[in-house]
């Protein structure tokens, strides 16, 4: 997993295969994007649960959990975000 940002509002996370190519089963062409007001959720830490679900810790205390395909995990705090 790799976090990436644009200059204003978009947080992106990419997942890559062992050969270095983007994982096509994750998000769109290997990337998940989330638009945030003024970069409130800049990813500062990443973890991968044993079941393959990514956990993303944000700059201001937010924690997101994604499904293995990159969608927010709605079973985690009702919306995928704590």
């Amino acid at each position: 997993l790799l976090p990436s940002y644009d200059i204003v509002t978009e947080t992106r996370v990419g997942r890559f295969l062992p050969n270095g190519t983007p994982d096509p089963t994750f998000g769109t062409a290997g990337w998940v994007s989330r638009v945030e007001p003024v970069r409130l959720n800049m990813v500062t830490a990443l973890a991968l649960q044993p079941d393959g679900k990514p956990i993303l810790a944000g700059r201001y205390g937010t924690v997101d959990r994604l499904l293995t395909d990159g969608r927010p995990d709605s079973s985690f705090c009702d919306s995928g975000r704590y």
Side-chain angles (χ1 to χ4, degrees):
L1 295 173
L2 173 73
S4 173
Y5 318 97
D6 75 4
I7 195 156
V8 180
T9 60
E10 188 177 18
T11 298
R12 295 182 301 262
V13 176
R15 186 168 69 189
F16 298 87
L17 299 173
N19 67 4
T21 61
D23 181 348
T25 68
F26 187 75
T28 302
W31 290 91
V32 170
S33 297
R34 241 182 147 151
V35 176
E36 305 288 345
V38 196
R39 293 171 66 172
L40 288 181
N41 197 32
M42 180 184 293
V43 176
T44 57
L46 298 168
L48 196 59
Q49 293 185 165
D51 62 3
K53 292 179 181 178
I55 300 285
L56 315 172
R59 181 177 183 178
Y60 294 107
T62 58
V63 178
D64 293 345
R65 182 168 71 189
L66 304 177
L67 298 172
T68 57
D69 65 2
R71 292 177 295 140
D73 184 351
S74 62
S75 71
F76 183 72
C77 297
D78 296 324
S79 67
R81 172 168 287 172
Y82 174 77

